[in-house]
Amino acid sequence: LRELACAKDLKGKKVVVSAGATQEPMDPVRYLTNHSTGKMGYAVARACMLRGADVTLLASTGCTLPPVPFVKTVPFTTAADLFEAVKANAMDADALVMAAAVADYRPATVAADKVKKHDGEMNIALERTDDILAWVGAHKPEKLFVCGFSMETRDLIENSTAKLHKKNMDMIVANNLKVPGAGFGVDTNVVTIITAQGVTELPLQSKDAVAGHIADAIAGK
Ligand code: CTP
Ligand code: CA
């Protein structure tokens, strides 16, 4: 009940959140993906819903989390699907939070039939996917607040600040995968929030609490 009683400071705002891992098929049986479970994005969707926002959650079909109540969910599988979903849903929104872990490369061809094994090695040719946030950064309307995420194993602040500027984001939530309590599948995170105003290191906390900081930023706090 305490959750429901929170301030409705996002009332009237449309927030689009992406969550989970893309899956890039190579044949009808196999795909390339990553370890993202969607927990961080689902937490952001829930926090914004509780604070009164109209929330659309672009959720990977690989996510096994329970749906977030009172949130419109749009499924995606590949990076290309997610790109279409972002274009269709986010460009008239007040905020886009890209927590999805998007493939940078996909198999260059998708075999119509199962690829059979042979003796010796096998190689898969990969091609680049589109960078969705870079596109949004180049096309975003004035009112759209864009929050990206970054996963790094070294040079967290330098690499993440470079992404913030390169993709014209308003904020990036950077996490160092090598810190205990941060990263994939767990309910906690250790993040550094970077904006044009500066760098804020947050201590270990629940993904719900990190989501609260992101909701604060969307609310202009
Ligand atoms: N992202 C995106 N489209 C892609 C790849 C990433 O929109 N094709 C978004 C992610 O959702 C995330 C942000 O860009 O919010 C940063 O993703 P990350 O993988 O950390 O950075 P990259 O720019 O892909 O660089 P690299 O993986 O080489 O570190
Ligand atoms: Ca990447």
Side-chain angles (χ1 to χ4, degrees):
L1 271 178
R2 192 192 302 152
E3 275 191 323
L4 292 177
C6 67
K8 303 296 175 214
D9 53 358
L10 293 179
K11 198 163 171 38
K13 298 237 188 233
K14 178 179 176 186
V15 177
V16 178
V17 182
S18 69
T22 54
Q23 298 178 338
E24 305 296 334
M26 61 164 275
D27 72 6
V29 183
R30 299 137 176 142
Y31 56 84
L32 297 180
T33 190
N34 60 69
H35 292 298
S36 172
T37 59
K39 279 187 176 172
M40 191 62 244
Y42 274 59
V44 174
R46 182 177 166 77
C48 292
M49 177 277 291
L50 287 170
R51 288 167 65 161
D54 163 13
V55 181
T56 300
L57 176 62
L58 313 179
S60 167
T61 48
C63 287
T64 55
L65 301 167
V68 186
F70 310 114
V71 158
K72 179 185 171 197
T73 301
V74 176
F76 69 84
T77 298
T78 64
D81 295 342
L82 178 56
F83 196 10
E84 290 311 309
V86 166
K87 284 187 203 162
N89 292 281
M91 298 315 280
D92 65 345
D94 296 286
L96 169 64
V97 180
M98 277 292 283
V102 186
D104 295 321
Y105 295 91
R106 67 175 158 237
T109 55
V110 181
D113 291 302
K114 181 182 170 187
V115 175
K116 302 298 284 179
K117 71 183 173 211
H118 299 283
D119 291 338
E121 289 182 358
M122 109 122 173
N123 294 296
I124 307 171
L126 301 178
E127 64 184 15
R128 279 284 303 271
T129 57
D130 289 316
D131 192 315
I132 301 166
L133 268 192
W135 183 90
V136 171
H139 296 88
K140 73 174 175 183
E142 185 75 32
K143 77 161 182 174
L144 181 63
F145 176 89
V146 177
C147 171
F149 279 74
S150 80
M151 284 253 172
E152 305 286 352
T153 54
R154 55 187 296 177
D155 304 324
L156 181 74
I157 308 294
E158 297 82 339
N159 287 341
S160 303
T161 304
K163 289 176 191 176
L164 175 83
H165 295 309
K166 192 171 170 207
K167 306 194 195 194
N168 191 24
M169 302 177 204
D170 298 290
M171 176 166 122
I172 190 160
V173 178
N175 47 130
N176 185 337
L177 264 182
K178 291 200 168 160
V179 174
F184 298 117
V186 294
D187 289 321
T188 55
N189 215 345
V190 183
V191 303
T192 300
I193 293 181
I194 308 171
T195 67
Q197 278 70 51
V199 175
T200 310
E201 276 183 49
L202 300 180
L204 175 76
Q205 55 197 280
S206 66
K207 286 185 176 172
D208 288 333
V210 173
H213 285 279
I214 295 166
D216 285 347
I218 296 170
K221 287 183 178 165

